[in-house]
Amino acid sequence: MIQPATHDAGPPDRWPIGPGVPPWPADGEVHVWSAALDEGDWAQAEGILGSDEVAKAARYRFAHDGARFSRARILRRLVLARYLGCAAGDIAFGETGIRRPCLADREGARVQGLDFNTSRSADMALIAVASGMRVGIDIEVARVMDDIDEIARQHFHVNEWLAIAGERAPAAKQNVFLRCWTRKEALTKAMGVGLHLPLHAFFVGTEPEAAPFRAFFDVDPSGQPGWWLTDLSVPPVYAALASDGVPKRLHLWRMRL
């Protein structure tokens, strides 16, 4: 069972400011950092981005989307640098699984130690950090959606789809859909499988969960680690954390520039 967090799990933009030098995550401990991407002086840190990150930001059609992408990457570098005790601009990244970022050396080989995962939506971004366990995180800021039932029918587990279709009030339908969606995204990101694992092949549910819970795999569960999910949703911001073991303690912090 997860132990209490260092504070109440309210909205991410209300989490306390994180320490300048955070303690290394203990076994079974997960640290989650948030940032409001439209607040603060991000320009002062733009120089820490790599050339590939700058190029990706430039490809966005709208400038504000490119700026949010850059700020989320800045957040990733600043948070990891606090743990590693190095300059944020010196951190190198590689990939494991299917487009799953990891720390790498200058030759691109994976560096063991911290595991991390990031997500952003609208003006919010999250990064989960752990040691000795794999993590995945997803965040979605509520927005107008008129195709919820069709998405759920095509992609979700049949029991999840029926629960979503049974909600008649638009606000309630969006609530259960985004809670389910963030859990599924967090899990596939932690596993490093992308959409090669169909979202309808496993069940994460739509009801609020007060404690970590297991995902249920319908097909070929053999060889699957004991994946756990932790609900961090506080509408209108929905978020979920996935890990390959039950987290024993969760710290929630935010970064402010």
Side-chain angles (χ1 to χ4, degrees):
M1 184 66 64
I2 196 168
Q3 297 178 13
T6 52
H7 61 281
D8 294 333
D13 60 355
R14 305 285 178 85
W15 297 352
I17 301 298
V21 183
W24 196 265
D27 183 41
E29 185 176 80
V30 182
H31 299 175
V32 181
W33 297 73
S34 74
L37 301 178
D38 291 347
E39 300 176 5
D41 183 11
W42 295 89
Q44 63 176 318
E46 288 179 350
I48 68 175
L49 294 177
S51 58
D52 60 327
E53 294 167 317
V54 174
K56 288 180 180 178
R59 289 198 288 269
Y60 278 86
R61 180 179 179 183
F62 298 109
H64 69 274
D65 291 329
R68 286 174 172 175
F69 169 86
S70 294
R71 292 164 185 172
R73 291 303 180 93
I74 290 170
L75 170 70
R76 183 174 73 169
R77 285 181 172 275
L78 290 178
V79 167
L80 293 175
R82 292 190 176 194
Y83 291 94
L84 300 173
C86 66
D90 291 340
I91 298 175
F93 299 98
E95 290 184 352
T96 63
I98 301 174
R99 299 177 65 83
R100 187 177 191 273
C102 67
L103 292 169
D105 59 26
R106 287 301 177 182
E107 284 69 46
R110 182 181 181 184
V111 174
Q112 302 294 333
L114 287 180
D115 191 73
F116 68 92
N117 196 243
T118 62
S119 181
R120 65 185 178 90
S121 176
D123 63 337
M124 295 297 301
L126 297 179
I127 175 170
V129 180
S131 177
M133 64 192 308
R134 290 190 46 179
V135 290
I137 199 160
D138 190 60
I139 184 172
E140 295 289 339
V141 178
R143 63 191 186 282
V144 176
M145 302 179 66
D146 56 9
D147 52 356
I148 287 177
D149 284 327
E150 184 61 19
I151 294 174
R153 185 188 68 80
Q154 291 187 16
H155 299 291
F156 285 8
H157 189 280
V158 61
N159 291 341
E160 295 163 345
W161 165 50
L162 291 174
I164 292 168
E167 295 287 351
R168 299 305 176 190
K173 185 182 293 289
Q174 183 182 68
N175 186 49
V176 296
F177 174 84
L178 290 177
R179 188 183 295 129
C180 186
W181 178 268
T182 52
R183 294 171 182 175
K184 287 181 175 286
E185 283 285 302
L187 184 57
T188 57
K189 291 172 70 178
M191 295 173 70
V193 296
L195 295 179
H196 284 244
L197 176 64
L199 296 181
H200 61 72
F202 59 95
F203 177 84
V204 297
T206 60
E207 295 298 318
E209 297 285 353
F213 60 99
R214 287 184 183 272
F216 173 77
F217 291 86
D218 260 356
V219 293
D220 192 24
S222 61
Q224 294 287 359
W227 293 102
W228 290 79
L229 287 154
T230 303
D231 200 340
L232 300 175
S233 297
V234 183
V237 178
Y238 297 80
L241 169 74
S243 54
D244 64 352
V246 56
K248 298 175 182 177
R249 189 169 179 83
L250 179 64
H251 295 262
L252 304 175
W253 293 313
R254 64 188 170 106
M255 174 77 75
R256 185 172 64 190
L257 273 70

